[in-house]
Amino acid sequence: MAGTMAGAVARAALRRGGIGRRLERPPALGGRAAAGWSGPAAGGAVQYCAELVRKRDYEGFLCSLLLPVESRTSAFALRAFNVELAQIKDSITQKTTGLMRMQFWRDAVEDIYNDNPPHQPVATELWRAVKRHNLTKMWFTKIIDEREKNLDDRAYRSIQELETYAENTQSALLYLTLETLGVRDIHADHAASHIGKAQGIVTCLRATPYHCTRQKVFLPMDICMLHGVSQEDFIRGKQEKNVRDVIYDIASQAHIHLEHVALDDYLYNMRKVDFNIFHPSLQKKSTLLPLYLYIRSWKKTY
């Protein structure tokens, strides 16, 4: 029943925003994309971005559905761009390949701002978003630069290094999202900075069981060393108190940045299982999340 209700909420929001049917093409803006993506193809690019985000960033997908119609397709483009970059690290076996893919997106951003985007659906929609909202190029560059640094398969040296990564990826994405809403305000940016850092920390925690199955651990080394925990302890799925203390310290840092958003639900659930990062309940997707976010949006409480 809960899954049916959640699905209904998501589908209703999709219909209101027009995703899932062919969108009208925005006015021609010139450049290579105008020739390559016209009419139905433009709607296809929107659909491509929305579907990519739905599959790979479900919570971001739901949050984007709650944005005003004029910002929603741009938000999907931004999150699709983020997904494309995030997927690179997990899909390569050699760093050189990853660097080549990062360079593609670096060149794509340059071409977008020269009004000549490549014939790629995410790049096309990013170009449209840039034209609609005059998005700041610097944030795209920061996201690419930080993702490129992260291609090195190593743990974060410190919690501060993890926060820097989160600031230059998750927070930068939020700054761009604010710009699609017409918000360019230092106080909003300050809030977005904390939200992004908290989100980056929580994402690192949530991904730990998956990374452990691939014999990799990226948790901050300073906190692991403080509690005498090795990477092997996580790979073996140990649940001793010192392992849980590592998770507690990292989760506490996220909590410092943020207390009352959707991320707090994961931190709350983690506390309920005494910071056992491998507990099965933490791996389940919340079927009520669409309804939960919709109610918060309606009440204007975040």
Side-chain angles (χ1 to χ4, degrees), residues 80-150:
F81 166 73
N82 187 58
V83 168
E84 290 278 6
L85 293 179
Q87 289 182 145
I88 292 175
K89 184 174 181 177
D90 286 338
S91 64
I92 60 171
T93 55
Q94 294 183 328
K95 184 179 177 181
T96 304
T97 305
L99 291 173
M100 291 172 61
R101 294 184 185 177
M102 289 293 179
Q103 189 60 45
F104 167 82
W105 284 107
R106 199 182 305 280
D107 293 341
V109 168
E110 288 296 326
D111 289 342
I112 283 168
Y113 279 87
N114 288 326
D115 234 10
N116 191 34
H119 289 229
Q120 200 273 359
V122 175
T124 299
E125 282 306 301
L126 276 185
W127 168 69
R128 293 176 184 277
V130 168
K131 300 299 286 187
R132 286 188 196 111
H133 309 288
N134 191 28
L135 301 180
T136 302
K137 180 181 176 183
M138 174 182 67
W139 300 128
F140 289 107
T141 302
K142 280 185 176 290
I143 294 171
I144 295 170
D145 288 347
E146 199 65 37
R147 291 284 189 187
E148 184 172 280
K149 290 179 193 174
N150 199 243

Side-chain angles (χ1 to χ4, degrees), residues 47-269:
Q47 181 67 25
Y48 178 91
C49 290
E51 187 63 13
L52 178 62
V53 175
R54 186 186 69 80
K55 288 180 178 178
R56 301 305 300 266
D57 178 14
Y58 184 63
E59 291 172 2
F61 172 76
L62 294 176
C63 290
S64 297
L65 289 176
L66 299 174
L67 294 176
V69 174
E70 59 271 16
S71 300
R72 195 174 304 152
T73 55
S74 297
F76 280 132
L78 292 173
R79 289 195 172 272
F81 166 73
N82 187 58
V83 168
E84 290 278 6
L85 293 179
Q87 289 182 145
I88 292 175
K89 184 174 181 177
D90 286 338
S91 64
I92 60 171
T93 55
Q94 294 183 328
K95 184 179 177 181
T96 304
T97 305
L99 291 173
M100 291 172 61
R101 294 184 185 177
M102 289 293 179
Q103 189 60 45
F104 167 82
W105 284 107
R106 199 182 305 280
D107 293 341
V109 168
E110 288 296 326
D111 289 342
I112 283 168
Y113 279 87
N114 288 326
D115 234 10
N116 191 34
H119 289 229
Q120 200 273 359
V122 175
T124 299
E125 282 306 301
L126 276 185
W127 168 69
R128 293 176 184 277
V130 168
K131 300 299 286 187
R132 286 188 196 111
H133 309 288
N134 191 28
L135 301 180
T136 302
K137 180 181 176 183
M138 174 182 67
W139 300 128
F140 289 107
T141 302
K142 280 185 176 290
I143 294 171
I144 295 170
D145 288 347
E146 199 65 37
R147 291 284 189 187
E148 184 172 280
K149 290 179 193 174
N150 199 243
L151 289 177
D152 293 318
D153 251 359
R154 62 171 181 80
Y156 297 101
R157 286 186 286 260
S158 65
I159 189 69
Q160 288 76 26
E161 187 173 82
L162 172 55
E163 287 181 316
T164 298
Y165 173 77
E167 167 69 23
N168 291 329
T169 53
Q170 300 293 345
S171 297
L173 185 65
L174 292 176
Y175 300 148
L176 287 166
T177 303
L178 286 173
E179 290 184 351
T180 70
L181 295 165
V183 177
R184 297 172 189 261
D185 177 84
I186 188 171
H187 300 295
D189 286 350
H190 181 73
S193 175
H194 283 294
I195 292 171
K197 287 176 182 176
Q199 187 172 358
I201 293 170
V202 169
T203 298
C204 181
L205 290 173
R206 293 175 74 171
T208 294
Y210 165 74
H211 288 142
C212 287
T213 64
R214 305 180 72 205
Q215 309 295 300
K216 296 176 182 178
V217 179
F218 299 109
L219 297 173
M221 290 188 290
D222 60 343
I223 296 180
C224 291
M225 291 173 63
L226 177 66
H227 295 286
V229 176
S230 68
Q231 292 190 352
E232 190 66 25
D233 290 332
F234 280 101
I235 291 172
R236 291 185 177 182
K238 290 188 176 180
Q239 299 172 22
E240 282 78 0
K241 184 179 183 301
N242 61 338
V243 173
R244 287 183 277 115
D245 285 344
V246 169
I247 302 303
Y248 171 81
D249 282 0
I250 298 172
S252 295
Q253 189 66 18
H255 201 266
I256 288 172
H257 289 292
L258 196 65
E259 290 187 5
H260 299 295
V261 297
L263 296 173
D264 192 52
D265 183 55
Y266 180 76
L267 296 176
Y268 171 74
N269 289 334

